[in-house]
Amino acid sequence: MTETVGLDPNKLNVTCFIGDKTNNIPKDTESAEIWHKLFSSKGIDAKEVEIGNNAIGYKSGMQNGRIFYYDSSNWWCRAGGLIICQLETRWPGQ
């Protein structure tokens, strides 16, 4: 997006899933690692911040982070909602 669309990488922040113990879904550290590499390739130090939910995020703020971990209250998929996403088994058109 920074090269094709021209977005300024210094203005980008991203979210990753913090995980869900109830549904046995682990924290998405793989995505965070990818984002670290992408930010690093642009000379940007990408601090990780575990926010949890939107209410906590509003109170605690950005904390100089670039990669933010949120729970399912900030998570989405094309079907909308964590549980629905887990039930999906195919892509559109299949």
Side-chain angles (χ1 to χ4, degrees):
M1 297 300 288
T2 59
E3 291 154 15
T4 304
V5 179
L7 296 177
D8 181 351
N10 291 296
K11 295 182 179 179
L12 293 178
N13 297 298
V14 299
T15 61
C16 295
F17 188 50
I18 201 167
D20 183 334
K21 291 179 183 176
T22 303
N23 291 296
N24 199 29
I25 303 171
K27 182 177 178 182
D28 186 6
T29 57
E30 182 180 356
S31 292
E33 289 174 24
I34 291 168
W35 281 113
H36 273 290
K37 290 176 186 175
L38 291 168
F39 279 119
S40 182
S41 73
K42 300 293 182 183
I44 298 169
D45 181 34
K47 177 183 171 188
E48 290 183 27
V49 178
E50 289 196 17
I51 297 291
N53 62 45
N54 291 332
I56 294 170
Y58 289 129
K59 289 178 185 175
S60 63
M62 305 280 287
Q63 304 172 52
N64 296 315
R66 289 253 181 220
I67 302 169
F68 299 92
Y69 284 99
Y70 275 90
D71 65 12
S72 62
S73 68
N74 189 50
W75 204 247
W76 59 271
C77 72
R78 64 185 170 84
L82 177 63
I83 300 304
I84 294 171
C85 289
Q86 290 175 338
L87 299 176
E88 292 179 350
T89 57
R90 62 189 185 110
W91 293 98
Q94 287 185 330

